[in-house]
Amino acid sequence: MHGVLDLDSPLKGPLGARSAALLASELDLLTIGDLLNHLPRRYHERGELTDLNELVVGEIATVQARVTKVVVHKARRDPSERARRRENGRLEITVTDGNGQLSLVFFNQQWRAKALVPGTTAMFAGKVAEFRGRRQLIHPEVHLLDGPADPEEPGGERGGDGGAEASETSAAGERPVDFAGSLVPIYPATAKVASWTIVHCLRLVFDSLGEIDDPLPGPVRARHRLVGLRRAYELVHRPASRAEVAAARVRLKWDEAMVVQVALARRRRQAELVATEARPGRPGGLRDAFDAGLPYDLTEGQRSVGETIDAEMAKAYPMHRLLQGEVGSGKTVVAVRAMLTAVDSGGQAALLAPTETLASQHHRSLLALLGDRARAGELGVDGPATRIALLTGSMPARARREALAAIADGSVGLVVGTHALLGADVTFRDLALVVVDEQHRFGVEQRDELRSRGRRPPHLLVMTATPIPRTVAMTVFGDLEVSVLDQLPAGRSPISTFVVPEVNTVLMTRMWGRVREEVAAGHQAYVVCPRVGEGTEDDAESGLAEPGAAGRQDGDRAWGGAGEQSGPGERVGATVTETLPRLAAGELAGLRVEGLHGRMPAAVREDVMTRFAAGQVDVLVATTVIEVGVDVPNATVMIVLDADWFGVSQLHQLRGRVGRGRAPGVCLLQTCVEAAAPAAERLRAVASTTDGAQLALLDLAQRREGDVLGAAQSGGRRSLRLLELLRDEDLILAAREEAATIVAEDPELRSLPVLRRQLAEALDETSVAFLEKG
């Protein structure tokens, strides 16, 4: 009838033009492959009644329920509307799940009472509404699971131009669909396309569909006991048992995992084929002088990771490594040693930071760490030395010109900067190493832009203080070799975290009293607010103060306050501009209190941070601009106002700013959400542990994979529908190994054209670049 169809065939062939257009407009399903990948949301057992208490007002729902009562309300003719045709009245049917009840209301459809008699079990689909405290469906679509079809709706449309339109369920639901087994699939549907309409369309597609070319090689399927792709689609859409659904889902998860892992394996291979200059360092150089001057011993982890980095930088193809470590684990020292190795090898190293505050902090830290070793060419400096330049977007023109000249002629060995390093006017004499701090705030395009500035591709070290679960590392950072620092350097103090409910006035008073006590003891404090102030564009602090730079898309913060942030008539988060004067005149009167946020002029920010680091400011009221990189060992207490605005990982990062010296740190999470709210539970979880890995798992479980993988991936048609990063570790690892073998034997995938096409489609829609963004 339609010939042999494949996954790329338009739906018009098997379904007809009208039905195909409806699926396209309502569900964005254009091809057979689109429809087959529109997977059931859940499955009902035949005769299993839906829990009506789970229905949400305003949502489109499909329920299976039993009719208990039928009431026909006769229409009352209004004498003032004699011209209006006589109506048939209202039909109200009550259905139950055995506990709760739901009202079904039909107008002008009294004929439905002949089929929907008490005791009948059927499926109903429609938008959940509420009337006088009782949930109801108005004009729901109806599907009888067994028995004869509903009586034909008077005046209903029939027929069509072939395909599904000659027999699909109409708005009255008068033609039952024959489900394949005891399981009834329930699909994401709309008001115009019911779940069983999708079932019927799928039956027509399967009747017309030929064999499907399988993207997974036969040996891979055999090794892992996977069903073929067509069989997987049949089992997931027309299952006879839960076991068949499970087998189908495992196979479809493999398809998702393989596309990602093959893309990553190809990137790893491409990186290994690129030639660069080895940077082995030299004995007796700047690196050895730096090590000799360290006032403490490196941890075993720092030494081990350093040896790995040394070995990779000594090779003739670029290092491509992710360094993750807990807040305060000593990643900066590891990065500095690698940068000095690059300088000892005759090259330059660039450290890319996401904010001017962090870049300035790194610049100050490098100057302090290197001392005279950062004053090359100055009087009184003996032995190996270099110079350090800072480059940001808000620098004065003269200082910028001088920095650019020094970078270009190579007189500066170490360069610290923000997005300004990506400017077209920035030229390196010999860029040997790129270090990216807080890598999740940069896109791969930005990193690659900086890497392209070298005569030959530089080595790359990216760092993050956000703990990354192993499954995420394999999936999101799979083309990076990963090193983990899980030891804290000697001298770091423990951090205690407590939740402070705003309703508890005693604890609120004690909270500010604790700040006063710490200041009286000679220490300092942070007060963190989620927002800058009223009347500013994009009021939530972005953390990116770089002129011309796009604000970061902080999914963690956005998720952290989801459903709890400001809206019409709702609570708004604390602001720096409001909190600063209130504290200075009230709870913290008499203390030296100053503010800091990303919209302040760079010179002002720098001055505030310098004076805070020098102990000239007691309390810093700031936004998340202090989230990473700020290192003031004398700061011992942090108060996070409206902490429910933040996510797990960000709270963990924030509290890492205290307890960096020998005095213990304390972090107080103030909130006004109710104790039973999910946000309060999240805060209690953060307070219960300082184990970043455990919190990362919690963060991933609550944010879900779409947020972790980035907006581009979660919004693309090839997004992860089934793969669960927390539960599918073994599958992801197996797919990674199979992908490595496939790419090693056939880098261009010439023997696997279907997999190659899937990969091209994924890259075209979302770009594999998202995999590096975190």
Side-chain angles (χ1 to χ4, degrees):
M1 112 181 159
H2 298 290
V4 177
L5 305 177
D6 59 25
L7 297 183
D8 294 324
S9 299
L11 286 170
K12 180 179 178 181
L15 304 186
R18 183 166 61 86
S19 294
L22 188 63
L23 291 182
S25 63
E26 290 291 307
L27 295 167
D28 196 27
L29 305 178
L30 307 177
T31 67
I32 286 178
D34 291 341
L35 181 57
L36 291 178
N37 285 308
H38 188 72
L39 304 179
R41 176 177 293 159
R42 63 184 186 278
Y43 298 87
H44 277 321
E45 299 276 356
R46 277 189 181 275
E48 176 188 21
L49 302 181
T50 304
D51 184 355
L52 299 180
N53 289 324
E54 294 181 351
L55 299 182
V56 177
V57 174
E59 290 188 355
I60 302 296
T62 300
V63 302
Q64 189 172 187
R66 185 175 67 254
V67 177
T68 60
K69 184 179 180 181
V70 179
V71 178
V72 178
H73 300 273
K74 295 292 184 179
R76 293 181 180 180
R77 184 167 185 175
D78 187 344
S80 66
E81 298 181 2
R82 295 183 183 276
R84 186 178 179 183
R85 68 177 177 85
R86 189 177 185 86
E87 294 180 348
N88 292 328
R90 176 168 58 92
L91 175 67
E92 184 173 358
I93 296 176
T94 302
V95 298
T96 183
D97 61 359
N99 295 310
Q101 292 185 333
L102 178 69
S103 177
L104 313 177
V105 179
F106 301 91
F107 295 96
N108 305 327
Q109 293 185 12
Q110 288 181 320
W111 48 270
R112 285 192 178 277
K114 297 179 181 179
L116 296 176
V117 297
T120 301
T121 297
M123 296 176 69
F124 309 95
K127 187 173 184 178
V128 182
E130 191 172 46
F131 180 69
R132 293 180 178 175
R134 186 178 182 185
R135 280 171 294 182
Q136 61 181 9
L137 302 180
I138 305 295
H139 272 287
E141 293 199 39
V142 180
H143 170 69
L144 299 177
L145 290 175
D146 298 295
D150 287 358
E152 183 175 341
E153 178 184 2
E157 292 185 2
R158 293 284 188 171
D161 62 354
E165 294 166 10
S167 58
E168 67 179 308
T169 308
S170 75
E174 70 276 1
R175 191 177 296 271
V177 177
D178 180 19
F179 295 102
S182 62
L183 291 183
V184 178
I186 305 299
Y187 291 89
T190 72
K192 294 183 179 179
V193 180
S195 179
W196 51 82
T197 300
I198 298 171
V199 172
H200 180 75
C201 291
L202 281 162
R203 177 202 285 176
L204 294 174
V205 163
F206 280 120
D207 289 345
S208 305
L209 186 63
E211 285 300 316
I212 299 177
D213 291 330
D214 203 311
L216 287 186
V220 173
R221 299 199 303 270
R223 275 193 293 273
H224 301 282
R225 299 180 180 179
L226 303 173
V227 299
L229 184 56
R230 175 173 177 130
R231 181 59 176 159
Y233 283 134
E234 291 173 343
L235 294 182
V236 79
H237 289 297
R238 310 178 72 182
S241 66
R242 299 280 180 183
E244 290 188 349
V245 174
R249 288 173 63 89
V250 168
R251 165 56 211 262
L252 296 177
K253 286 182 179 184
W254 262 88
D255 284 15
E256 293 178 2
M258 282 296 286
V259 169
V260 173
Q261 294 302 332
V262 167
L264 293 168
R266 294 180 76 183
R267 286 183 68 86
R268 289 195 299 270
R269 178 180 174 82
Q270 290 166 2
E272 292 173 358
L273 295 177
V274 174
T276 192
E277 185 173 343
R279 308 287 183 170
R282 63 183 178 88
L286 190 55
R287 156 80 172 270
D288 286 350
F290 172 75
D291 286 350
L294 281 175
Y296 50 81
D297 294 331
L298 297 174
T299 66
E300 180 180 345
Q302 287 173 316
R303 287 195 298 270
S304 176
V305 172
E307 291 171 359
T308 299
I309 291 174
D310 289 345
E312 292 186 341
M313 290 182 63
K315 295 179 180 178
Y317 61 85
M319 174 180 70
H320 204 205
R321 180 162 292 276
L322 169 68
L323 175 60
Q324 64 164 308
E326 280 283 10
V327 174
S329 59
K331 297 182 300 299
T332 300
V333 171
V334 172
V336 169
R337 297 178 77 239
M339 295 169 73
L340 296 180
T341 297
V343 174
D344 282 339
S345 302
Q348 296 166 289
L351 173 57
L352 183 61
T355 69
E356 288 196 352
T357 300
L358 182 53
S360 297
Q361 173 72 33
H362 277 312
H363 185 242
R364 287 193 299 270
S365 296
L366 287 175
L367 290 173
L369 283 169
L370 294 179
D372 287 348
R373 303 303 171 195
R375 298 169 49 216
E378 297 183 24
L379 290 176
V381 177
D382 297 321
T386 188
R387 290 172 57 200
I388 306 173
L390 174 67
L391 191 66
T392 65
S394 63
M395 290 176 64
R398 180 177 177 180
R400 179 180 176 84
R401 285 195 301 270
E402 292 175 352
L404 290 174
I407 294 170
D409 65 24
S411 58
V412 164
L414 304 180
V415 183
V416 182
T418 57
H419 296 76
L421 286 176
L422 308 176
D425 57 347
V426 181
T427 302
F428 290 85
R429 184 185 66 81
D430 183 13
L431 184 59
L433 172 67
V434 173
V435 179
V436 180
D437 194 16
E438 291 309 311
Q439 63 81 35
H440 61 281
R441 307 209 189 173
F442 294 97
V444 67
E445 299 88 356
Q446 293 168 310
R447 297 211 307 261
D448 285 346
E449 173 64 25
L450 185 56
R451 293 172 66 194
S452 69
R453 304 301 171 86
R455 292 186 295 107
R456 308 189 80 175
H459 299 279
L460 174 67
L461 177 65
V462 295
M463 303 190 299
T464 180
T466 302
I468 303 171
R470 182 166 179 257
T471 48
V472 178
M474 286 192 298
T475 303
V476 181
F477 306 102
D479 62 335
L480 299 173
E481 300 298 329
V482 179
S483 293
V484 179
L485 286 177
D486 53 10
Q487 295 174 288
L488 294 182
R492 286 301 303 266
S493 300
I495 303 173
S496 302
T497 306
F498 303 94
V499 178
V500 181
E502 188 177 58
V503 295
N504 191 321
T505 55
V506 174
L507 288 180
M508 289 290 291
T509 300
R510 177 68 186 126
M511 178 177 75
W512 298 115
R514 181 60 184 269
V515 173
R516 285 187 168 279
E517 292 170 5
E518 291 295 322
V519 172
H523 301 305
Q524 295 162 276
Y526 297 101
V527 176
V528 179
C529 303
R531 302 166 60 225
V532 176
E534 300 294 345
T536 56
E537 184 179 354
D538 186 25
D539 189 61
E541 172 69 88
S542 72
L544 283 175
E546 186 67 16
R552 70 181 167 96
Q553 300 299 310
D554 192 342
D556 187 43
R557 191 206 61 76
W559 167 84
E564 296 155 0
Q565 296 185 18
S566 61
E570 295 180 7
R571 172 181 67 88
V572 296
T575 67
V576 172
T577 56
E578 179 185 281
T579 302
L580 177 61
R582 178 176 62 81
L583 292 179
E587 293 93 334
L588 303 181
L591 303 185
R592 296 171 296 178
V593 184
E594 296 203 26
L596 183 73
H597 57 76
R599 294 189 180 90
M600 297 167 60
V604 177
R605 289 199 312 270
E606 179 70 16
D607 176 65
V608 171
M609 276 307 306
T610 299
R611 289 188 292 109
F612 185 69
Q616 299 170 12
V617 176
D618 297 323
V619 181
L620 194 62
V621 180
T623 58
T624 55
V625 73
I626 57 101
E627 177 184 349
V628 290
V630 176
D631 186 8
V632 180
N634 194 46
T636 56
V637 60
M638 171 180 286
I639 292 175
V640 182
L641 298 178
D642 292 317
D644 48 280
W645 272 60
F646 303 101
V648 171
S649 293
Q650 196 168 29
L651 289 172
H652 184 57
Q653 287 268 34
L654 284 168
R655 69 176 169 187
R657 300 307 103 203
V658 297
R660 302 179 73 86
R662 297 196 175 277
V666 61
C667 180
L668 304 174
L669 306 177
Q670 180 270 335
T671 181
C672 64
V673 300
E674 296 180 359
E681 181 181 352
R682 184 169 71 246
L683 298 182
R684 289 192 293 271
V686 173
S688 69
T689 181
T690 56
D691 185 341
Q694 180 179 337
L695 290 173
L697 292 174
L698 170 66
D699 195 21
L700 178 61
Q702 294 191 331
R703 287 171 64 188
R704 292 179 282 186
E705 286 81 359
D707 293 316
V708 173
L709 296 179
Q713 170 66 1
S714 63
R717 198 170 277 173
R718 297 204 61 83
S719 60
L720 300 187
R721 304 181 309 274
L722 298 175
L723 199 64
E724 298 177 77
L725 299 184
L726 289 181
R727 299 182 181 181
D728 295 324
E729 178 174 352
D730 291 343
L731 189 154
I732 293 170
L733 180 59
R736 179 180 170 88
E737 294 173 350
E738 294 287 1
T741 300
I742 289 171
V743 171
E745 297 175 353
D746 184 6
E748 301 303 319
L749 306 180
R750 299 186 189 282
S751 62
L752 297 169
V754 181
L755 182 57
R756 185 173 69 245
R757 187 179 73 244
Q758 285 187 350
L759 190 61
E761 291 173 355
L763 293 177
D764 180 62
E765 288 193 10
T766 65
S767 174
V768 76
F770 85 88
L771 294 169
E772 291 188 334
K773 294 182 181 179

